[in-house]
Amino acid sequence: MTKLVIFDVDGTLVDSQAHIIMSMESAFGTVGQAAPERDTILSIVGLSLPVAMRELAPEADDAAIARMVDGYKDAFQTHRLKQGAAASPLYPGAEEAVRALGARDDVLLAIATGKSRRGLDALLADWAFGDLFVTTHCADDHPSKPHPSMVLSCLTDCNVAASEAVVIGDTTYDMEMARAARVQGIGVRWGYHGREALMAAGAHGVLDDFGQLSAALDEMWKG
């Protein structure tokens, strides 16, 4: 039976924290405010940008939030164009893990990310393995995580039952999204939320490195 592995991007496949921090500092600068502390910014990675901005600036009015969102997007795009793939480098073992799964006849790959379509397409264009993902869904077309919309669309696109799918992600939003869509979730410890938080959010398990992914999936599916 065909299985579906749905990957988050930021904090799971790529280490974009420096890029995110810089862009958020620029965003807050557009309204003359100091950005929150680094850990506070990283805690909202995974949410759609307007939702994340509202979490970080709850006192700001709608006009200020809109300016901050635009400021973030402009800074992120400028830095990406300047740095290329180096702006969001892949985590060690990420490409190898994706390629290994993509080579299996019984597995399809997908992406569900809080990134914009422009940001996601730029990454996919940089990746030599980007064509291994059968379908990709992002924040531009769906409610923010942890709403299950992106996962449900992946299931529909790939004609795979929820019972045969898994979300791989680094945040509680990913695990909650998976649970809301009635699919399993596997956390990764190298991203933006910790092991305990991921387990509390319903993760089937938490990986210490990408080398553990294939065995973790086989064990889960065997069960």
Side-chain angles (χ1 to χ4, degrees):
M1 188 172 294
T2 301
K3 312 293 186 182
L4 177 61
V5 181
I6 305 168
F7 284 94
D8 170 55
V9 177
D10 291 308
T12 300
L13 291 175
V14 300
D15 183 2
S16 50
Q17 60 180 296
H19 197 175
I20 290 169
I21 295 295
M22 180 277 300
S23 300
M24 197 61 75
E25 289 174 345
S26 181
F28 273 79
T30 64
V31 294
Q33 293 186 28
E37 295 294 323
R38 179 187 187 88
D39 288 348
T40 301
I41 293 173
L42 294 180
S43 73
I44 54 80
V45 174
L47 296 175
S48 299
L49 185 54
V51 176
M53 204 67 77
R54 176 61 68 191
E55 287 284 324
L56 294 175
E59 304 302 322
D61 60 26
D62 290 345
I65 292 293
R67 290 199 303 274
M68 294 163 75
V69 167
D70 287 343
Y72 181 97
K73 290 181 176 179
D74 289 344
F76 200 95
Q77 175 73 350
T78 298
H79 186 64
R80 187 193 67 77
L81 291 174
K82 182 178 180 180
Q83 298 292 324
S88 297
L90 288 158
Y91 282 106
E95 179 172 355
E96 293 82 356
V98 171
R99 286 188 180 278
L101 290 173
R104 291 176 54 160
D105 293 334
D106 63 333
V107 173
L108 297 176
L109 302 180
I111 283 175
T113 176
K115 298 182 79 65
S116 68
R117 173 55 60 182
R118 180 173 69 174
L120 177 58
D121 285 349
L123 277 181
L124 291 170
D126 285 336
W127 296 344
F129 58 94
D131 60 350
L132 294 176
F133 296 99
V134 175
T135 188
T136 63
H137 289 272
C138 62
D140 288 353
D141 305 314
H142 296 273
S144 178
K145 298 177 183 181
H147 193 283
S149 177
M150 285 191 279
V151 172
L152 295 175
S153 292
C154 289
L155 295 174
T156 298
D157 291 348
C158 298
N159 194 28
V160 173
S163 59
E164 305 301 325
V166 59
V167 169
I168 312 298
D170 69 298
T171 70
T172 58
Y173 313 126
D174 296 311
M175 300 303 104
E176 291 165 0
M177 175 179 67
R179 191 172 61 208
R182 300 184 183 278
V183 310
Q184 293 275 23
I186 293 179
V188 302
R189 71 162 185 81
W190 52 83
Y192 302 128
H193 292 178
R195 181 188 299 273
E196 291 185 6
L198 291 167
M199 293 300 293
H204 179 82
V206 178
L207 307 178
D208 291 319
D209 59 68
F210 267 115
Q212 298 175 336
L213 177 57
S214 182
L217 290 171
D218 286 341
E219 182 64 27
M220 185 184 70
W221 287 328
K222 184 171 64 178

